[in-house]
Amino acid sequence: MAKFSSHWKAIACDLDGTLIGLDHKVNERDMEALHQARRAGMHVAICTGRNALESAGVIGALGLRGPGVFVNGAMVCDMSVGKAMRSRWIADALAREVIDFLGSKGHAVMMQADDQATRLPAYLMTDHAPPHQSIQEWMLIHRISSRVCGGIPPEHEGRIVRLGIAVNLQEAAELEIAIARQFGERISTQSMRSRFFDVQILEVFSPGTNKWSGIESMATELKIDANQVIAVGDDTNDVAMLEGASLSFAMGNATPEIQATAKRVTRPQSECGVAAVIEDLLSGKLEPEAMTKLASSSQLQLRYHRKMI
């Protein structure tokens, strides 16, 4: 496919629930559509809560290169090698305060660092308690190892990008309230129910860190305007990018609350919603002038009124 001229320069796709289904697989139609977008000259980027190494299988299958967004926006990494290009670090004093707070509640705290020597993500686990069973299983599935320590090791000071714990569902709401009361706007947080384990994942980042801030950093690396990036996602950690992007699509499998934050809604992951977006993109239907014409026609009522493509 020849390169085409478009207002849009990049598409940022979430992984779990967007590209990856509950069967841990990516639909062939979605993969082919992403290949077509790359061949047409679009920058295709992963935009995920996972780190770059955990995303390596999908990245390799798609042959992706250049900057992508990882760790919920805390890291922009070169997708081909997994190394950080830009990171948003949590101040050490604040990180220690969060670690002590969560540790005092009986939780082992997983720290993720941007290793200064390799610029690859490094996992560390505090010794406040044994890791939650779900964390152990997740690390086994993804062949991840972590170093147990009492706090931030000297070599990782100033390099912590995320702090996280897994909690049983019945504990989550009370702990979220306690974290908000203790830290307020000094931190950014994400709370998500795991798709694969019956637990809530609570994560802490530096203030202002989210997938949209990550897309803005990625756009800077690409030397494009962030408003030229199409965002596609399905969960609570996608809300900032779905709201921030000039053109965004929530998956049909997202909750109504998530869908309401996006500019459009595509098909569910099981029905290749990402491919549907890309097919419209490559056909020119998503160009601003085409969408303006569509908005002025009765066809809009059929195609977009219910936020469906």
Side-chain angles (χ1 to χ4, degrees):
M1 180 183 293
K3 290 187 178 181
F4 76 119
S5 177
S6 174
H7 168 81
W8 309 108
K9 303 303 180 187
I11 181 166
C13 288
D14 171 54
L15 285 183
D16 298 293
T18 299
L19 277 175
I20 299 176
L22 291 174
D23 59 358
H24 302 276
K25 296 179 180 179
V26 179
N27 299 317
E28 289 187 11
R29 181 181 166 194
D30 285 335
M31 292 190 68
E32 176 55 30
L34 289 166
H35 283 303
Q36 289 178 353
R38 291 188 63 233
R39 289 194 291 268
M42 294 291 295
H43 179 73
V44 174
I46 298 300
C47 191
T48 178
R50 301 186 187 198
N51 68 38
L53 297 183
E54 294 166 352
S55 309
V58 175
I59 290 171
L62 292 170
L64 301 182
R65 297 180 177 275
V69 179
F70 300 91
V71 198
N72 282 324
M75 300 180 78
V76 172
C77 301
D78 182 337
M79 293 183 288
S80 64
V81 293
K83 293 187 176 183
M85 305 169 76
R86 292 170 177 258
S87 292
R88 296 173 68 101
W89 301 303
I90 306 171
D92 284 340
L94 180 58
R96 292 189 180 99
E97 187 180 346
V98 173
I99 290 168
D100 290 345
F101 179 82
L102 296 176
S104 71
K105 303 291 185 182
H107 297 283
V109 182
M110 179 174 281
M111 297 179 276
Q112 187 163 322
D114 166 13
D115 184 76
Q116 187 169 11
T118 65
R119 298 308 307 272
L120 294 172
Y123 273 127
L124 309 158
M125 187 78 69
T126 71
D127 58 4
H128 292 94
H132 195 282
Q133 181 64 29
S134 63
I135 295 293
Q136 297 182 54
E137 292 180 19
W138 175 261
M139 296 180 73
L140 182 63
I141 290 170
H142 291 280
R143 301 180 181 180
I144 296 167
S145 61
S146 66
R147 170 183 165 190
V148 178
C149 52
I152 304 173
E155 66 271 26
H156 292 306
E157 290 181 348
R159 312 289 299 188
I160 302 299
V161 295
R162 174 171 62 188
L163 303 168
I165 60 173
V167 300
N168 297 328
L169 296 178
Q170 62 269 25
E171 304 174 60
E174 183 178 348
L175 187 53
E176 286 178 40
I177 292 171
I179 292 171
R181 286 175 176 169
Q182 182 72 19
F183 298 101
E185 295 183 356
R186 293 190 292 151
I187 61 174
S188 290
T189 60
Q190 290 287 349
S191 177
M192 296 180 59
R193 184 167 180 172
S194 170
R195 297 179 185 278
F196 306 108
F197 306 99
D198 200 25
V199 296
Q200 196 79 4
I201 306 299
L202 304 181
E203 298 179 330
V204 173
F205 304 89
S206 63
T209 299
N210 53 54
K211 287 191 178 182
W212 178 242
S213 70
I215 286 176
E216 290 179 315
S217 294
M218 179 188 76
T220 299
E221 287 290 330
L222 292 170
K223 295 181 173 55
I224 63 174
D225 193 308
N227 289 320
Q228 294 175 298
V229 181
I230 298 173
V232 189
D234 76 301
D235 213 335
T236 55
N237 64 335
D238 298 316
V239 167
M241 74 172 185
L242 293 177
E243 290 180 333
S246 294
L247 181 58
S248 60
F249 291 84
M251 300 298 290
N253 48 278
T255 65
E257 292 77 14
I258 302 300
Q259 291 183 10
T261 68
K263 310 304 188 294
R264 302 281 184 268
V265 177
T266 185
R267 299 169 187 165
Q269 187 278 337
S270 60
E271 299 177 18
C272 305
V274 171
V277 172
I278 292 173
E279 287 160 7
D280 271 2
L281 168 66
L282 297 182
S283 71
K285 294 176 182 176
L286 299 184
E287 296 305 307
E289 59 273 19
M291 296 179 74
T292 298
K293 290 179 182 178
L294 183 63
S296 64
S297 73
S298 59
Q299 187 179 359
L300 174 67
Q301 303 303 315
L302 177 63
R303 189 174 181 80
Y304 283 134
H305 182 66
R306 293 190 300 273
K307 281 195 165 186
M308 294 296 291
I309 69 168

